[in-house]
Amino acid sequence: MSDPGPRRISRRALLRLLLLGGIGGGLAAAEWITRPAGLARYLTWAGRGAVTRLAARPAAVVLARCPSYHDDVLACLTEAWAQADMPDVRGKRVLVKPNLIDFIEGYPVTTAAPVVTAVVDLLAEAGASEIAVGDGPGFRRDALPVAQACGLAAALAERKVPFVDLNYDDPRPVTAADGWFFRTRTLWLPRHVREADLIVSVPKLKTHHWAGVSLSLKNLFGIVPGARYGWPKNLLHINGITPSILGLYQTVRPVVAVVDGIVGMEGDGPLFGAGVPHGLLAVGADPVAVDVACAGLVGFGLAEVHHLAVAAWAGVGRAAAIELRGAPADALRRRYERPPAA
Amino acid sequence: MSEIAAAQAFLLRTQNSDGGWGYVVGHASNVEATAVAALALTCLAGEPAAARRGVAWLQAAQRADGGWGLTADDAESGWQTAWALLALVRCRGDEAVVQRGVAQLLAAQPMHFDRSEDVRWVKAVLGINPNLRGWPWLPGQVAWVEPTALTLLALAPWAAAPEVSPRLAEGVGYLQDRRCNGGGWNVGNPVMFSRPLPPRAVPTAWVLLALAAVAPQAIQDDDVRVLRSEMLADGGASALAWGLLALAALDQEERVAADRLRAGQAADGGWDTSPYHTAAALLALAGGWP
C-alpha cells in the first residue's frame, strides 16, 4: 500500500469546524454569563417577559384613601376589593399573611391589626370556608407574642380565627417553581401555606435596607419556616433576595395583596424607620402590579427595586401593564425617605 | 393535679405513635421537639418509657453523615444535630450514635469569606468579623448565634478533648463578637448600617446556657440584665421558659417570669398546644437545665 501522506483538511471542513467551535464557545459563554440560572432558564424568563409585556391585559390595582386606623377600614377595604377583580373566595381555605417581623415600641413595624382583621372579616363575609392568620418572624421571636403585642391576637381570638406561627407549622418539602432557587429543587413550607387555596399578603408599606421596599412580595419571606432554615432565614440571602422573592411567589401562588399604607414606614426600614401618616390601602389580585404601584407612589422607580425590575423582565406578574383604579394616585403620592445603603 | 404533673400528662398524651413529638400537637415528629420532650421526661424521671421511645426515634432519625435534620426524612443535616446530642447524652442514648454526631458537628464548617473586600464590607455594614468560626443553621451557610450556642452546649461534655477544645474556644470568640451593644444576643447581627439592633430573649438564653457550661468567665452582668428584661418584654412561653432555664444555670431566678409562665399553662396542661413549649416550660418550672 502506498503512503497516503499527511491528511489535509479541506477549506469547507475547516469553516464548519470554526462555525461549530464558535457556536459551542458562544453557548458556553452564554451559559457562564447567565449563571446561576443557566441559559435555558434565562431564555425562558426573557421570552415569557417579552410575551407578558406585549400581550398581558392590565392588572387592576385599586387605591383607597383611608386616613387612619380609627376610620372604617373594613368599608374602605370592601369598596376597594370590589373594584379589584379579586378571585372568588367562596369555599376556599385562605391564609392571611401580615408582616409581624417583630414588635418594637414606637416604630410602625408590623401590619396594623385593624387592617388584618378587616381582611379577615371581608373573607368571612365573602364565604371563605377556612381562614387562618399566620407569619413566621425573621428576627427570632415566636409569632404569637408579636401578635399579642400589636393587638392582633386578641382581635383574632374574638373572631375565633386561628393564628399560626409559620416558623413551626409542620414544614414539609414542596417543589420550588420556576427555577429561582439555584441550589435546591425543593422548599420546605408550612402546612397552612401548602394547604391554602389562596394567600392574602397583607404587608406594611415600608422601606427596606436590602430590598428597597418591603411590600406584598417581600412579605412572603415570612412563610419560610425558621424551624427548617433557621433565623434570619439565611437560605434566602445566600440564594439572593431577588430570586428568593420571585421563587417564593411563583411557588405559593395564588397570592393577592392588601397593602397597609395607612401609616407607612420610611427611612431605616424594616425595623427602625419613621412612621408616615399616609392614609393608603392598596388592593389587587396581582401582587407584582400592586407592589410596583405602591413603590411608585412612594417615589421608588423600578430601577431602584431590583426584584420588581426582574419580575417585570421575567414576566412574573404584570409589572408593565397596570390599571390604577379607585382614589386618584396623585393625591396619594408621598416621597419616602430612602433606607440607608451599603 | 399539679402544674408539673399536668404538663407531664400533656407530653405523654401528645407523643406521636412513632415515638417522637411535633412542635404542635398533631404535627409530624421532629428532632428539636422530640429532644426537648425526651429531656424533660427523663430529667423528671417520671416516664422513662415514653422518653426511651423518644430516644429510639432520635437514634433512628440519624442520617448517614452522623447528623440530624428537621425530620427523620430530611435529606440534610442541620442545627438539629446539636439538639439530638443534647438529648441522647442526657438520656443515655447509644454511644456510637453519639460519637457519630459529635464527629459531624466537629466537621461542620460555616461559609468562609475569602475576598478581603467582602470581609471589609461585612465589618463596615454589620460590625462583625465574618470569618470567626461558629456554626451555621445549615451546611455551607454563614454561622449564626443560636446554632453556635447549641453546639457549644452539646459539645460541652467533651470540652477537654484536644480535637474539641479549640473549636469551642473559637465558638466562644464568635459569640463574644456577636454580643449586642449593651449586652445580650439576637440572631447574630448586633449592628446594621451603624444602627445597633436589639437583643432577643431566646438567643440570649441559649448563649448564656452555653457560656455557663463552657466559658462562664465570658458572661457579663449586662447579658443577664438584658435577658431578664427581654424575656418579660417578649412574654411568650418560649422566651420565659428558656430565659428561666438560663438563669437557673447561673443560680439565679426570676419570679415574675416564672409566675407569668405558670399563668400561661392551658387547661389541657400544655402551653400553646405545643409539646415543644410545654417541654421547655416543664424543664424551667421543675428544676432547670439538666
Side-chain angles (χ1 to χ4, degrees):
Chain A
M1 288 177 65
S2 61
D3 182 358
R7 295 181 64 186
R8 300 192 62 167
I9 189 164
S10 69
R11 180 178 297 176
R12 178 172 293 180
L14 178 64
L15 286 172
R16 280 182 184 153
L17 274 175
L18 289 172
L19 181 63
L20 285 174
I23 291 171
L27 286 173
E31 186 72 23
W32 190 84
I33 290 167
T34 56
R35 67 197 169 131
L39 182 60
R41 180 62 66 185
Y42 184 90
L43 291 175
T44 301
W45 292 334
R48 185 179 62 199
V51 170
T52 303
R53 285 189 293 280
L54 285 172
R57 63 186 176 79
V61 176
V62 179
L63 308 179
R65 176 135 181 79
C66 188
S68 87
Y69 298 113
H70 302 297
D71 288 288
D72 191 342
V73 178
L74 178 57
C76 292
L77 176 64
T78 303
E79 189 179 337
W81 187 280
Q83 299 177 64
D85 303 337
M86 300 300 267
D88 185 357
V89 300
R90 274 176 298 182
K92 289 184 175 170
R93 284 173 297 190
V94 184
L95 173 66
V96 178
K97 164 61 179 77
N99 183 336
L100 300 177
I101 183 171
D102 203 341
F103 180 82
I104 300 175
E105 193 69 49
Y107 293 92
V109 176
T110 60
T111 308
V115 176
V116 183
T117 53
V119 172
V120 167
D121 292 345
L122 182 147
L123 292 168
E125 181 65 26
S129 60
E130 292 176 35
I131 304 167
V133 176
D135 193 12
F139 199 59
R140 201 45 177 116
R141 287 184 66 186
D142 285 351
L144 183 59
V146 177
Q148 288 168 333
C150 67
L152 178 59
L156 295 178
E158 279 176 20
R159 290 164 172 79
K160 297 186 167 44
V161 169
F163 179 79
V164 185
D165 190 333
L166 297 179
N167 279 325
Y168 296 101
D169 184 29
D170 207 11
R172 298 295 302 158
V174 301
T175 301
D178 209 26
W180 295 99
F181 285 92
F182 304 121
R183 300 180 189 191
T184 179
R185 293 181 179 179
T186 59
L187 271 182
W188 290 65
L189 291 176
R191 177 186 285 190
H192 280 80
V193 172
R194 298 193 311 272
E195 295 181 351
D197 298 314
L198 177 71
I199 295 173
V200 185
S201 180
V202 192
K204 167 70 77 180
L205 167 54
K206 56 184 174 179
T207 52
H208 190 285
H209 49 225
W210 299 126
V213 290
S214 179
L215 287 159
S216 63
L217 294 173
K218 174 67 176 64
N219 186 38
L220 295 177
F221 272 24
I223 67 172
V224 173
R228 175 60 174 72
Y229 295 108
W231 289 260
K233 310 187 182 183
N234 200 199
L235 156 93
L236 304 172
H237 305 103
I238 290 175
N239 184 63
I241 288 176
T242 288
S244 295
I245 289 173
L246 301 183
L248 280 172
Y249 171 58
Q250 293 289 68
T251 301
V252 303
R253 293 169 74 168
V255 179
V256 301
V258 174
V259 176
D260 169 15
I262 295 174
V263 174
M265 175 188 277
E266 67 176 356
D268 194 4
L271 295 177
F272 294 103
V276 181
H278 193 156
L280 169 69
L281 273 182
V283 180
D286 184 328
V288 176
V290 172
D291 287 6
V292 169
C294 288
L297 287 177
V298 300
F300 284 78
L302 268 187
E304 285 184 275
V305 187
H306 188 248
H307 65 273
L308 295 180
V310 175
W313 168 79
V316 177
R318 288 171 287 172
I322 298 171
E323 180 187 338
L324 290 178
R325 299 176 184 170
D330 285 343
L332 288 164
R333 291 191 195 283
R334 306 276 186 281
R335 186 176 170 79
Y336 278 28
E337 183 187 327
R338 277 11 190 200
Chain B
M1 188 183 282
S2 73
E3 65 199 12
I4 303 297
Q8 278 182 293
F10 177 91
L11 285 182
L12 295 179
R13 219 169 40 243
T14 58
Q15 187 171 26
N16 290 332
S17 59
D18 61 9
W21 283 265
Y23 284 118
V24 177
V25 175
H27 287 187
S29 299
N30 70 71
V31 169
E32 185 183 26
T34 301
V36 184
L39 272 171
L41 291 174
T42 300
C43 295
L44 295 171
E47 293 294 338
R52 276 200 301 273
R53 291 179 58 221
V55 167
W57 183 90
L58 284 173
Q59 293 184 161
Q62 188 176 36
R63 302 187 60 257
D65 67 2
W68 281 261
L70 173 66
T71 57
D73 61 350
D74 194 340
E76 193 172 33
S77 296
W79 59 287
Q80 295 87 356
T81 300
W83 269 121
L85 287 181
L86 285 166
L88 293 177
V89 167
R90 288 161 180 77
C91 302
R92 296 175 295 284
D94 184 284
E95 182 61 23
V97 171
V98 168
Q99 287 305 324
R100 285 200 299 275
V102 170
Q104 199 275 342
L105 281 182
L106 290 174
Q109 297 290 338
M111 180 190 289
H112 187 270
F113 288 71
D114 295 321
R115 302 192 320 163
S116 58
E117 58 265 43
D118 290 342
V119 174
R120 277 199 302 274
W121 184 89
V122 171
K123 285 183 175 174
V125 173
L126 304 175
I128 55 176
N129 179 351
N131 282 336
L132 289 173
R133 280 200 309 174
W135 275 265
W137 294 98
L138 289 167
Q141 301 185 353
V142 298
W144 293 95
V145 159
E146 288 160 270
T148 299
L150 287 169
T151 303
L152 294 185
L153 199 53
L155 293 177
W158 297 273
E163 69 275 25
V164 176
S165 175
R167 277 304 297 273
L168 291 189
E170 280 186 90
V172 171
Y174 169 92
L175 292 176
Q176 289 175 309
D177 183 67
R178 265 54 167 186
R179 178 182 272 117
C180 292
N181 294 353
W185 286 264
N186 56 36
V187 291
N189 290 140
V191 172
M192 184 83 72
F193 294 108
S194 304
R195 158 86 69 173
L197 295 184
R200 287 293 175 249
V202 173
T204 301
W206 283 351
V207 172
L208 290 178
L209 276 169
L211 293 181
V214 300
Q217 73 283 359
I219 296 172
Q220 298 179 0
D221 291 344
D222 278 346
D223 301 328
V224 180
R225 181 186 54 74
V226 159
L227 176 63
R228 289 179 184 277
S229 67
E230 284 297 322
M231 63 197 281
L232 291 170
D234 183 292
S238 195
L240 294 169
W242 291 112
L244 287 167
L245 285 163
L247 290 175
L250 301 170
D251 294 324
Q252 299 187 34
E253 58 182 3
E254 173 57 66
R255 289 187 182 169
V256 175
D259 289 344
R260 284 181 61 180
L261 183 59
R262 286 190 186 93
Q265 189 173 25
D268 63 5
W271 278 260
D272 307 332
T273 65
S274 165
Y276 172 61
H277 286 181
T278 301
L282 188 51
L283 282 170
L285 295 176
W289 181 252

